[in-house]
């Protein structure tokens, strides 16, 4: 593809302004997502350890069911941003509408599978006899909110591609606040227990999806973009998302294997693992804010045929990722006496999670680079490489994690295998970024 004449690369200050303008609101929105689970964990944790263990299994299954379709956000962000860079807003929004229709179809299919298979999934995941009933209850109710969750993903991708991360922030904050209030009212006020926590999350997610649809539909009408489902466009969106689906399935497999191993270590270990996983997800989403900015910025530069701008932006975002990872790692260590009591009063759970939590803190600088480069390659539409790289990572991680119980290892040993997973991801992504093969300009890749 012929490139337009290269323009002088933007200054570092200009890149910083672009990153801050997109990453700061994205940070707030991304932090709100794991806070949904953290609020549930904090509230359910005070009902008892079996309830928290059940939530740990159900939340992992539910998060997997939704997160495998995160390509609805990532692929849509990259595709919309390219068209924005090329100056074609109607086509950009039309691309986003195709993603939203695809989200509704996928959401309905997932609910149809999840409802009847919930008990089997919980049993297959290794939940104990005491935790299984709570896990099944939470999973069945929460699965009803999956279509809304997928619409939120797709619509968020549309707005990010349009270089708007403020609206997702406002919606996420409103959804988080509603989820917290609903959980307290339904769990304690109405006495519904873990079922109340699940219903609170479903209601909050449905409200968020409604707000997103209103915003996107208004934008479509303003620019004359059609709202009707287009079979060819939906198929194109699905095809573009397949490599990212493979990549995400591989990553979710890593997390599911880790949770399954923790579940087999006992209720204390899975309860501690659930708390650590919630905090690890929070840190990951915070780092991913820079990656979200990268998706939008890289896509826009490549759509505008500015390969030099894309390279400079990538370089600067890696520096931001390292700095952010260092800060988050230090914060985890310094604030652990403050947040651990919020989740559990069980002394054995606290003693089990502390050393594993320190492993998480040590890996954050590496994670910062991993998430940034992941976002850069997504913004470039380099999904095929991301898929193969993550499959390689899974192939190394799986046997290492599964051997932990066999060699008498505990939760800390399990989290060292998670650190190994991050190192492998760092190596594969760094090699690709340095090669420059991800740089393909134009309105489409």
């Amino acid at each position: 593809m012929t490139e337009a004449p290269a323009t002088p690369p933007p200054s570092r200050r200009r890149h910083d302004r672009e990153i801050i303008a997109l990453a700061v609101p994205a940070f707030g929105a991304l932090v709100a997502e794991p806070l949904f689970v953290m609020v549930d964990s904090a509230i359910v944790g005070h009902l008892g350890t079996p309830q928290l263990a059940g939530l740990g299994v159900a939340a992992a299954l539910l998060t997997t069911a939704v997160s495998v379709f995160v390509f609805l956000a990532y692929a849509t962000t990259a595709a919309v941003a390219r068209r924005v860079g090329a100056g074609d807003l109607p086509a950009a929004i039309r691309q986003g509408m195709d993603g939203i229709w695809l989200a509704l179809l996928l959401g309905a299919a997932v609910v149809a599978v999840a409802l009847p298979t919930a008990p089997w999934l919980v049993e297959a995941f290794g939940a104990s006899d005491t935790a299984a009933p709570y896990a099944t209850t939470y999973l069945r109710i929460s699965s009803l909110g999956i279509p809304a969750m997928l619409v939120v993903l797709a619509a968020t991708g549309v707005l990010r591609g349009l270089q708007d991360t403020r609206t997702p922030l406002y919606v996420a904050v409103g959804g988080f606040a509603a989820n917290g209030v609903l959980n307290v009212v339904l769990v304690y006020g109405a006495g519904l227990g873990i079922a109340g926590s699940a219903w609170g999350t479903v209601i909050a997610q449905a409200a968020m999806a409604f707000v997103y649809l209103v915003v996107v539909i208004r934008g479509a009408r303003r620019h004359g973009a059609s709202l009707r489902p287009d079979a060819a466009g939906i198929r194109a969106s699905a095809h573009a998302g397949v490599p990212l689906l493979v990549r995400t399935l591989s990553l979710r497999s890593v997390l599911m294997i880790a949770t399954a191993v923790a579940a087999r270590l006992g209720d204390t270990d899975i309860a501690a693992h659930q708390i650590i996983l919630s905090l690890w997800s929070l840190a990951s989403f915070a780092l991913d804010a820079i990656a979200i900015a990268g998706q939008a910025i890289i896509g826009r530069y490549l759509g505008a045929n500015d390969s030099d701008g894309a390279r400079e932006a990538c370089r600067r975002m890696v520096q931001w990722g390292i700095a952010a990872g260092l800060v988050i790692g230090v914060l985890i260590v310094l604030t652990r006496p403050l947040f651990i009591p919020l989740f559990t009063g069980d002394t054995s759970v606290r003693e089990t999670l502390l050393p594993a939590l320190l492993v998480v803190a040590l890996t954050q600088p590496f994670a910062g680079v991993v998430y940034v480069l992941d976002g850069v390659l997504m913004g470039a539409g380099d999904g095929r490489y991301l898929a193969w790289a993550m499959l390689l990572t899974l192939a190394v991680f799986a046997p290492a994690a599964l051997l932990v119980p066999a060699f008498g290892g505990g939760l800390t040993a399990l989290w060292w295998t998670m650190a190994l997973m991050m190192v492998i991801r760092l190596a594969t992504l760094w090699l690709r970024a340095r090669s420059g093969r991800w740089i393909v300009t134009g309105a489409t890749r």
Side-chain angles (χ1 to χ4, degrees), residues 19 239 329 341 347 383:
I19 294 169
H239 183 266
T347 302

Coordinates of all heavy atoms in Angstrom, one line a residue, residues 19 239 329 341 347 383:
I19 N -1.9 10.8 24.9 CA -2.0 9.6 25.8 C -2.8 9.9 27.0 O -3.7 9.2 27.4 CB -0.6 9.1 26.2 CG1 0.1 8.5 24.9 CG2 -0.7 8.0 27.3 CD1 1.6 8.2 25.2
H239 N -15.3 -11.9 11.4 CA -14.0 -12.4 10.8 C -12.8 -11.7 11.3 O -11.8 -12.3 11.6 CB -14.1 -12.3 9.2 CG -12.9 -12.8 8.5 ND1 -11.8 -12.1 8.2 CD2 -12.6 -14.1 8.1 CE1 -10.9 -12.8 7.6 NE2 -11.4 -14.1 7.5
G329 N 3.1 -1.5 41.4 CA 3.8 -2.5 42.2 C 4.1 -2.0 43.6 O 3.8 -2.7 44.6
P341 N -8.1 -6.5 54.9 CA -9.2 -6.7 55.8 C -10.6 -6.4 55.2 O -11.6 -6.8 55.7 CB -8.9 -5.7 56.9 CG -7.5 -5.4 56.9 CD -7.2 -5.5 55.4
T347 N -8.1 -15.5 59.2 CA -6.7 -15.4 59.4 C -5.9 -16.3 58.4 O -4.9 -15.9 57.8 CB -6.2 -15.7 60.8 OG1 -6.9 -14.9 61.7 CG2 -4.7 -15.6 61.0
G383 N -3.9 -8.9 14.7 CA -4.5 -9.9 15.5 C -3.9 -11.3 15.3 O -3.8 -12.1 16.2

